[in-house]
């Protein structure tokens, strides 16, 4: 059997994707049958271009430092390989005598692994193909959650914790737009920044529910009347009853990526548009919108230690499954306690190309808040050392002039 | 002499403004001549409305926790008092027998303290008025730097460190828009996220230099040709040769705040507009823009310990100057070593209403980068525990198919 290992990273970077890469590399280097460990530059693109790094020559010390560094140290790609592309991948793997292929990515990447695995079987070439989960969207089926999501969720929670404090000091409407095309998990994480009953986010809009602009305006108005201020968390993926993204309804130009998806991130359009609606229709003057953009997936210095550990472990486990098993598959995370996890290898076709969204039990009947079940689900993932916000106690002084 | 202390917070919140408030409160409580320590809700607005909290009843334990919490725990205001407003303030201070007035804020707030001080002198009322410096813009004259700036600068540096890693993994153009109307210090802090020579930000645009859209496009094009990617830090305050903000040139509606200033923050317009220029004029496809917005001043969990300590000390020193001195004034920070600071009381009129911008020695001749002098100036302010980014060493594997 071919005795080289190839590791690659695909899709959007996360704060902990390098933990998975380093976990796979260091674990591979422990196996005596492994001759060399390669890394592909820029995911599948680097494979077809034969752009490989020899990671066997890398020091374990530097690997540990890279593991702590956010974003994809091997580079990534948005290419979504079709059958022909996957055949090219397989040709290169064979030419380099790769016996073990590990691809760290989301559901598009798992589908690539599935096709490459099938090509190898057709050619009767002995290749273990393992998909290692990663996505801040938390939308991989079979998984309790996915590496990368907890750290991004922590960034979102901490952002809203600060935005709420800022909005309390200078009241008005604040809208924070969070990543997540179909799944609202990351937007919902904003709720974990709340402490006191009147804290924001007061309203949370998820792609799992239909977004109605008139209801939105009524919600904001009611919140302003109740609290004198309003903090709103909005998913970039909110859409109308027909499924048309709200941002598309207003964008003059719609950019599409290689997957045929509408480009939602990297612009402030949605936040600006919602702010304009509030200013114009409700006559509120102080309305501010932030789009968290790329900060939420690659900010350095806001990482969940639980996420780091699990991302490392899925990389390690992938290698163990590959070396000791006879099956290709996708490593999945299962929750076994409050809080502990274990891992298993699921069939690739069970994960590939599928999308998980928030279950109904995580969303309140109003559709604009999360339930305690969601809080209990997310809290342990955020890790240790979560910051906390404190207030002055309200010992009011009696007025002298205006009694 | 009136023996009550009043503390208030004005202008935009910062990550450490509560340190100054708590420093002033705890130090005041040590002086035997002080009867009560009040805090005004929402700055000068709370004073004229007689909205006071009795902070003498607050526990030192809770004060310490509030000190660690970003944003203004007493609330803030954007009101910029004129003479009549200041006379109202003075009337309330007198009615409540306030003998010591501490106002934490930027140059607008220092001007308020100056006028109130003059009113008290005219009325022959014994009142010590001390301005405590605060602003993420770092634009107060007389000060080496201002509390709040180092923590915001750290957020900006860490953001660009992550954005650069993300942009390396998925190359293209990335623009991050940073706060700062007239002073570019905070935008320039993006440079402190750089480590390797080819790291971004590759271009930095400051309000201290005239922004020319054609030169900007040529700079981006040249950077793309050199590195295959381009990370840009842009100040929200960039303007043309006539001083017109670039965002105003393109905004349909221009919102102005109570100070008559154009609203620059809280929208993604500038980033989106610059991205569109690059897409349309340079034909680059992957162009992303983030506006850091309110995250940079109130993010919870990215604070400089140096900033925390100094913010605390300016609050303490303000009380000492008030109790032991006969002069009103503004506490200023002076650098005395690499790295140490000391404090002194400057006359209010030396600070009030004035704006400091980046000195020429901090900006390179190209106008799109900072000098080592600036790096040396800023680095110690960012505090301990700055995260660091690591790369894999480039041990390339020889190609087999495409030799």
């Amino acid at each position: 059997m071919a005795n080289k290992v190839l590791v690659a990273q695909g899709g959007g970077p996360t704060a902990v994707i390098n933990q998975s890469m380093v976990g796979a590399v260091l674990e591979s280097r422990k196996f005596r049958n492994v001759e060399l460990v390669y890394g592909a530059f820029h995911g599948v693109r680097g494979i077809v271009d034969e752009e490989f790094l020899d990671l066997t020559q890398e020091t374990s010390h530097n690997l540990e430092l890279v593991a702590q560094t956010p974003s994809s140290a091997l580079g990534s790609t948005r290419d979504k390989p079709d059958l022909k592309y996957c055949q090219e991948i397989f040709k290169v793997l064979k030419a380099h005598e790769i016996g073990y292929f590990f691809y760290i990515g989301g559901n598009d990447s798992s589908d690539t692994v599935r096709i490459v695995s099938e090509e190898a079987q057709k050619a009767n070439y002995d290749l273990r193909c393992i998909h290692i989960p990663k996505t801040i969207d938390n939308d991989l089926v079979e998984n309790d959650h996915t590496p990368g999501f907890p750290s991004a969720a922590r960034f979102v929670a901490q952002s809203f914790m600060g935005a709420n404090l800022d909005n309390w000091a200078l009241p008005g409407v604040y809208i924070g737009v969070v990543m997540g095309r179909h799944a609202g998990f990351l937007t919902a994480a904003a709720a974990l920044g709340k402490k006191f009953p009147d804290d924001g986010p007061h309203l949370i809009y998820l792609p799992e529910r239909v977004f109605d602009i008139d209801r939105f305006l009524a919600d904001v108005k009611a919140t302003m009347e109740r609290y004198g201020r309003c903090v709103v968390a909005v998913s970039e993926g909110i859409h109308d009853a027909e499924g048309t993204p709200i941002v598309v309804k207003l964008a003059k130009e719609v950019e599409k990526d290689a997957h045929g998806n509408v480009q939602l991130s990297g612009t402030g359009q949605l936040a600006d548009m919602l702010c304009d609606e509030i200013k114009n229709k409700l006559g509120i003057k102080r309305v501010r919108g932030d789009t968290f953009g790329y900060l939420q997936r690659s900010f350095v210095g806001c990482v969940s230690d639980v996420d780091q550990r699990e991302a490392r472990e899925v990389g390690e486990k992938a290698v163990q499954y590959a070396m000791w098993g006879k099956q290709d598959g996708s490593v999945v995370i299962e929750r076994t306690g409050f809080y502990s996890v274990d891992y298993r290898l699921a069939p690739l076709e069970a994960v590939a190309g599928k999308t998980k969204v928030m279950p109904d039990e995580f969303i309140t009947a109003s559709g604009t808040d999360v339930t305690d079940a969601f809080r209990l689900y997310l809290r342990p993932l955020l890790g240790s050392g979560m910051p906390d916000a404190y207030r002055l106690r309200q010992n009011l002084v009696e007025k002298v002039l205006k009694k």
Side-chain angles (χ1 to χ4, degrees), chain A residues 175-184 187 204-213 216 232-241 243-250 264 270-271 273-274 367:
Chain A
I175 296 175
V177 172
V178 181
M179 278 185 174
R181 188 178 301 273
H182 302 295
T187 304
I204 300 175
Y205 295 93
L206 307 164
E208 283 81 0
R209 294 290 178 267
V210 168
F211 185 85
D212 178 80
I213 190 79
F216 165 73
V232 190
V234 174
S235 164
E236 63 178 8
I238 52 166
H239 55 81
D240 65 13
T244 309
I246 300 300
V247 69
V248 170
K249 289 186 135 180
L250 294 109
L264 299 179
L270 181 59
M273 181 275 287
L274 293 174

Side-chain angles (χ1 to χ4, degrees), chain A residues 22 70 83 120 194 213 292 304 402:
Chain A
V22 169
L83 179 61
K194 280 177 91 147
I213 190 79
F292 290 2
S304 155
K402 298 181 185 173

